[in-house]
Amino acid sequence: MKNYYEELDIARGIAILGVITIHTSSLYLSRTYNYNLKIINILAQFSVPLFIFISGFLHKNIFVFEGDKERRYYIYKRFRRIIFPYLFFSIVYMFIRIIIENTPYLNSFLPIRYNSIEYIIQAILLVKNNPAGHLYFLPLLFLVFLVFTLLEILFKKKKTLYITCIIISSLAYAFWGNIYLSLNPLKGIGFYAMGYALRDSPFYNKLYNLNSYIVLFLSLFLIFIIGYLNISIALIKHIFAFGMQIFGALFIYQISLYLCKSQSKQIFSLTLSNIGKYSFDIYLLHEPYIVTVFFVVLIQLSLINVVLNQSILLVLGIIIPLLLSHLWLRRNRIFRQYLLGLD
């Protein structure tokens, strides 16, 4: 297994742009309905599954470690990578939210919720009521890792492992409703297995050499989107959502391979790659700024033009976290190590 896959930086860059698009469009849709924006929101739903796919791609088989001590340390490192940023930013965003709730004018946009210590602790520990809703992804990713590791121990044959994971995710989508992963690791396990299976398979080299797979995955992505939008039977609709997200993730991954292979020196590829290198920083830092700008500024302009609205939020959602990361987060050794997992 290689230690570095250049195409993953580009994939992360595209995925984080998709995540911010989901968050900015959801803000707009929470105030008024716009069909085109709703479609964009649905198209961007590949983003979170793609991050899980990438995590699976980089998964280390538990049996490569010699002895239980090494295995436990590997699991501990995965847990540490999740728990420190989750707790730190939960507390930071909780204080920001409390300040907003107690500030005249600003508190007219957000309901007062965090008015007791008991509720604050519950919101952080139970994830669901966390003021920074996007942080749910951190415990979700760790839970997906744990479930996959358990299945890896149970199923020694890799084909059986992969098929089991896909079936579990399909059933989870069918019976636990909606397109969102929420905090359900059973939904995410299929994407994780797909990433791990792809890296572990000879098919990986074929993907790298055949751009025709771009057309194949795009076609399947669009077919499942059309099915999701037009089928009214809930169970089938949710399975189409799963297929749409799987082939969306594979399509974006294949695009990333293409850009890495034949367009790596182009400004577009370099920009996506650099955004990808900071994707975790952007993920951790973007939420309060786009929310504040939306409610305090853009809403006062009667939501202005939709395209302009979303463009402003998307740009701010990238630039502000990059500046904060460069000027603060990555400059501090402790923050680099414990919040970003960088040595």
Side-chain angles (χ1 to χ4, degrees):
M1 174 183 171
K2 293 194 296 184
N3 290 323
Y4 178 65
Y5 295 82
E6 189 179 352
E7 71 272 13
L8 293 186
D9 282 334
I10 296 176
R12 288 189 188 99
I14 298 172
I16 196 63
L17 290 173
V19 166
I20 296 176
T21 298
I22 291 170
H23 292 166
T24 57
S25 59
S26 296
L27 280 173
Y28 191 100
L29 291 168
S30 70
R31 309 292 294 190
T32 185
Y33 184 77
N34 182 288
Y35 178 78
N36 292 330
L37 201 56
K38 181 68 176 174
I39 296 299
I40 290 172
N41 185 283
I42 290 171
L43 288 173
Q45 293 297 330
F46 69 82
S47 310
V48 175
L50 180 55
F51 274 121
I52 295 177
F53 171 92
I54 291 170
S55 186
F57 192 95
L58 297 172
H59 176 82
K60 288 183 180 177
N61 189 307
I62 198 75
F63 298 110
V64 302
F65 299 100
E66 295 181 4
D68 291 339
K69 187 176 179 180
E70 281 193 22
R71 292 180 188 131
R72 284 196 297 269
Y73 183 68
Y74 172 59
I75 294 172
Y76 162 74
K77 280 179 65 179
R78 295 291 296 252
F79 177 72
R80 190 184 72 179
R81 174 82 193 262
I82 296 300
I83 194 64
F84 286 130
Y86 176 77
L87 290 177
F88 178 83
F89 284 101
S90 291
I91 293 168
V92 168
Y93 293 155
M94 185 70 73
F95 277 113
I96 292 172
R97 176 64 184 250
I98 291 170
I99 290 169
I100 290 173
E101 288 183 359
N102 289 279
T103 303
Y105 175 71
L106 292 182
N107 61 15
S108 62
F109 299 109
L110 295 171
I112 295 176
R113 296 167 63 187
Y114 303 97
N115 53 4
S116 73
I117 295 296
E118 182 183 355
Y119 191 87
I120 289 171
I121 293 172
Q122 186 184 60
I124 293 174
L125 294 182
L126 297 183
V127 182
K128 186 178 179 181
N129 295 320
N130 195 306
H134 67 298
L135 293 178
Y136 83 92
F137 178 71
L138 293 175
L140 170 65
L141 193 59
F142 184 69
L143 289 173
V144 169
F145 160 72
L146 284 182
V147 172
F148 185 81
T149 300
L150 177 62
L151 292 173
E152 199 175 31
I153 294 169
L154 292 175
F155 299 102
K156 298 296 189 293
K157 290 185 177 179
K158 288 186 176 179
K159 245 182 213 180
T160 307
L161 171 66
Y162 303 147
I163 292 170
T164 301
C165 290
I166 295 295
I167 291 172
I168 288 173
S169 282
S170 299
L171 293 174
Y173 267 83
F175 295 105
W176 269 285
N178 73 44
I179 193 173
Y180 307 108
L181 288 167
S182 302
L183 200 60
N184 189 337
L186 300 183
K187 283 186 173 183
I189 197 71
F191 307 113
Y192 196 93
M194 185 73 73
Y196 185 50
L198 182 61
R199 189 210 74 213
D200 202 40
S201 164
F203 186 60
Y204 170 74
N205 292 322
K206 292 181 181 179
L207 274 179
Y208 204 91
N209 294 313
L210 289 176
N211 292 328
S212 56
Y213 281 103
I214 292 178
V215 178
L216 172 63
F217 293 141
L218 176 60
S219 302
L220 291 168
F221 180 42
L222 293 175
I223 287 168
F224 277 93
I225 286 173
I226 292 167
Y228 175 76
L229 292 173
N230 291 283
I231 291 173
S232 56
I233 301 171
L235 187 144
I236 300 174
K237 185 182 183 74
H238 296 147
I239 291 176
F240 266 83
F242 176 55
M244 174 183 77
Q245 291 176 327
I246 272 194
F247 289 112
L250 284 170
F251 167 62
I252 296 301
Y253 178 72
Q254 185 63 30
I255 287 287
S256 303
L257 274 175
Y258 167 74
L259 292 174
C260 175
K261 180 176 66 172
S262 58
Q263 305 288 324
S264 60
K265 302 302 180 185
Q266 300 299 315
I267 187 68
F268 180 68
S269 300
L270 291 172
T271 300
L272 285 175
S273 181
N274 285 322
I275 290 174
K277 288 180 173 69
Y278 282 82
S279 59
F280 191 50
D281 312 50
I282 295 168
Y283 158 74
L284 291 172
L285 295 166
H286 78 278
E287 181 82 357
Y289 305 102
I290 62 171
V291 171
T292 303
V293 170
F294 180 80
F295 280 108
V296 177
V297 180
L298 297 183
I299 256 192
Q300 303 311 302
L301 299 176
S302 300
L303 298 175
I304 57 179
N305 178 278
V306 178
V307 175
L308 183 58
N309 178 306
Q310 295 302 296
S311 300
I312 290 170
L313 289 174
L314 184 62
V315 170
L316 288 174
I318 294 292
I319 289 179
I320 293 177
L322 283 176
L323 286 173
L324 284 171
S325 177
H326 181 69
L327 296 173
W328 165 59
L329 202 55
R330 294 205 174 202
R331 283 180 178 269
N332 186 292
R333 184 181 62 82
I334 294 175
F335 287 163
R336 277 175 56 86
Q337 182 177 351
Y338 289 100
L339 299 184
L340 299 176
L342 301 173
D343 296 326

